[in-house]
Amino acid sequence: MDSEKMEMQKDSNEKRKKSGLGRGILFGIVGTLIAGSLLIGGVCNATGIQIRLTRANRGQGILDAKAQAKLNELLAYINAYYYDETEEEALREGLYTGLVDSLGDVYSQYYNAEDYAQSQVGVTGQYYGIGAGLSQDADTMMVSITKVYDGTPSQKAGLMVDDIVLSVDGTEASSMEVTELVKLIRGEEGTTVHLEIYRASTEQQLSFDVERANVTLPSIASEMLDDNIGYLRIEAFEKETAAQFETAFADLEAAGMQSLIIDLRYNGGGLIDSAIKILDDILPEGLIVYTEDKAGNRMEYKSRGETYIDYPIAVLVNENTASASEIFAGAIKDYNYGTIIGVTTYGKGIVQTLFPLSDGDAVKLTTAKYFTPNGNYIHGVGIEPDIELEYEYLNSDSEEYEMQYDNQIQKAIEVLRNRE
């Protein structure tokens, strides 16, 4: 996993062929399960929430006298007969988790304070760590560095791509899942983490003491292709993604861009505001998306039309293009503002809102449905591409991913050339 974005990789060579630019396609799989399902709404004010909760609890009677008595009876049996020691805090968290789980909604979730803090990395792209991407071999559990981000502590310390992580502060790296190893690498700003590294290129075992810092990971990757075709990959819709998009877009335009590929493959979603800001840069004036809650209240998000793109666009999607990225693709399709290429998207048409609790914990709840500009509700359905094309890597002999062998990117290039 991306150590600081959790990017799993079972077979490094094969996945590189599928990854493209940035953190790679496999991060998107994790994004679908984590980042994409984390938040497509916002964080609500806790004080206002408390008022509504107090009113809502009147008459519900979930914790009435009968329920309290049964709970006490269960605890009595646990205390008397459970074979091992128990922790009261863990039991309480089990109650909270069970309450939310009973909704039967995979996207609603209770977070303790630690999990809440971890979840925000997927939304903000910010954390206190070293700025290196990690992957783990599923068979050997070996952990290696797949990315060293510019200007981060890992780069300053001299860590390199393909370095093998042997241990973190004395804990053997292969002894745990990389998600747990990431927690050891992250920590308070200004503190250090000790890494033992094996560098195959020099056959050396090296030691590094890396100082943790406040790191913001890029969620945008871009480059200029032949024929003045810009390529822009959006990894996830995070807090800084819109600003990163505008910077990358301006650089491409300055280089003479005349058409654009936007790659949303394996983009699991994220913040709706981020997707809307980017669409506001792209689309003419009009409705981008609207939501409806259980009371029928409708909220509309619109493009102001102050800026828009007036040259050909192709958008790449796949079965793990989800949530906010489906809002993006749906708006492009409904406006007939670009060609959607790939396979039908994931189909997540519901909105989550994150509510911080008074004690530092949080709960994420599904709060509304969303609809594309033409009123399409895509939950469980997805968005069909204009050009159906399964992904195929066209050079099985290549050890590293090269864009020229990505059949979906090559189809997008063909489409844009024909429309110029």
Side-chain angles (χ1 to χ4, degrees):
M1 286 181 118
D2 187 342
S3 127
E4 321 284 4
K5 268 283 198 189
M6 304 193 231
E7 176 177 357
M8 276 195 232
Q9 195 170 5
K10 293 183 179 178
D11 181 331
S12 59
N13 285 339
E14 180 62 23
K15 298 307 179 186
R16 283 191 187 117
K17 295 176 188 177
K18 298 179 180 178
S19 66
L21 295 179
R23 279 160 275 170
I25 283 178
L26 206 54
F27 161 67
I29 296 176
V30 180
T32 300
L33 299 177
I34 300 176
S37 61
L38 276 175
L39 189 65
I40 190 172
V43 177
C44 290
N45 180 274
T47 304
I49 300 299
Q50 185 59 49
I51 294 172
R52 291 199 290 275
L53 285 178
T54 302
R55 290 174 179 168
N57 280 337
R58 293 174 185 169
Q60 283 189 347
I62 294 175
L63 291 177
D64 59 12
K66 183 178 180 180
Q68 290 277 10
K70 187 170 183 177
L71 181 59
N72 290 335
E73 186 178 9
L74 287 170
L75 288 171
Y77 276 109
I78 290 171
N79 291 332
Y81 297 110
Y82 183 66
Y83 83 104
D84 204 354
E85 295 296 321
T86 61
E87 295 183 7
E88 286 189 354
E89 184 59 32
L91 293 174
R92 290 191 189 97
E93 285 198 5
L95 289 173
Y96 310 145
T97 300
L99 178 64
V100 178
D101 286 351
S102 69
L103 297 173
D105 175 20
V106 297
Y107 298 109
S108 293
Q109 187 174 354
Y110 163 79
Y111 296 102
N112 61 30
E114 180 182 358
D115 291 339
Y116 176 35
Q118 292 288 338
S119 75
Q120 293 308 286
V121 174
V123 174
T124 65
Q126 293 181 314
Y127 66 95
Y128 295 108
I130 66 172
L134 300 184
S135 68
Q136 185 172 51
D137 186 281
D139 297 320
T140 66
M141 300 292 283
M142 183 180 73
V143 176
S144 59
I145 295 178
T146 58
K147 179 73 176 178
V148 176
Y149 291 95
D150 292 340
T152 62
S154 61
Q155 184 187 57
K156 294 174 183 177
L159 293 172
M160 298 176 65
V161 172
D162 293 331
D163 282 349
I164 296 171
V165 181
L166 301 176
S167 66
V168 177
D169 282 340
T171 299
E172 186 178 350
S174 61
S175 68
M176 62 179 64
E177 295 287 341
V178 72
T179 49
E180 295 302 312
L181 190 68
V182 166
K183 294 179 182 179
L184 300 182
I185 295 174
R186 293 178 184 159
E188 294 183 9
E189 185 176 18
T191 60
T192 60
V193 57
H194 181 79
L195 303 178
E196 290 291 327
I197 297 293
Y198 176 72
R199 185 163 292 166
S201 60
T202 59
E203 298 184 347
Q204 291 177 292
Q205 182 170 330
L206 305 170
S207 298
F208 294 87
D209 289 302
V210 187
E211 183 174 329
R212 300 179 178 101
N214 189 352
V215 175
T216 300
L217 296 182
S219 53
I220 296 286
S222 63
E223 66 175 278
M224 182 66 80
L225 309 181
D226 292 339
D227 299 323
N228 295 316
I229 297 174
Y231 173 86
L232 204 153
R233 179 178 178 83
I234 305 177
E235 301 277 0
F237 291 100
E238 300 168 347
K239 184 178 179 181
E240 302 299 326
T241 303
Q244 293 173 10
F245 174 89
E246 290 175 355
T247 298
F249 184 84
D251 290 343
L252 290 172
E253 284 211 315
M257 176 172 60
Q258 296 176 6
S259 59
L260 175 63
I261 299 170
I262 299 175
D263 194 342
L264 297 179
R265 293 174 297 177
Y266 289 97
N267 181 325
L271 296 169
I272 189 172
D273 288 347
S274 178
I276 288 168
K277 286 178 182 177
I278 296 174
L279 286 168
D280 186 28
D281 290 333
I282 294 173
L283 294 176
E285 183 178 1
L287 182 65
I288 292 175
V289 66
Y290 66 92
T291 64
E292 288 185 358
D293 64 18
K294 65 180 180 181
N297 297 314
R298 173 166 166 160
M299 179 173 291
E300 296 185 345
Y301 301 84
K302 297 181 178 181
S303 171
R304 295 166 296 177
E306 295 176 357
T307 60
Y308 58 89
I309 293 177
D310 59 358
Y311 44 71
I313 300 173
V315 178
L316 301 181
V317 299
N318 67 4
E319 66 276 10
N320 290 106
T321 299
S323 201
S325 56
E326 289 178 291
I327 286 178
F328 192 106
I332 295 291
K333 183 171 184 177
D334 282 5
Y335 275 86
N336 195 27
Y337 219 71
T339 304
I340 312 296
I341 300 171
V343 298
T344 301
T345 62
Y346 184 83
K348 181 176 181 287
I350 50 179
V351 177
Q352 282 69 53
T353 305
L354 192 60
F355 301 97
L357 303 178
S358 58
D359 62 355
D361 297 349
V363 62
K364 180 189 66 179
L365 297 173
T366 297
T367 53
K369 301 176 181 179
Y370 77 75
F371 300 82
T372 70
N374 288 347
N376 298 316
Y377 178 53
I378 59 91
H379 193 66
V381 178
I383 295 170
E384 292 186 5
D386 300 309
I387 298 176
E388 182 86 18
L389 182 65
E390 293 279 352
Y391 174 81
E392 181 182 359
Y393 191 73
L394 302 175
N395 185 358
S396 59
D397 296 328
S398 175
E399 293 186 0
E400 299 290 336
Y401 172 89
E402 295 180 67
M403 195 177 291
Q404 62 181 317
Y405 300 120
D406 185 322
N407 71 320
Q408 292 173 329
I409 289 180
Q410 294 308 308
K411 172 57 74 172
I413 291 172
E414 176 189 330
V415 168
L416 293 177
R417 283 174 175 165
N418 290 337
R419 292 196 174 186
E420 289 178 354

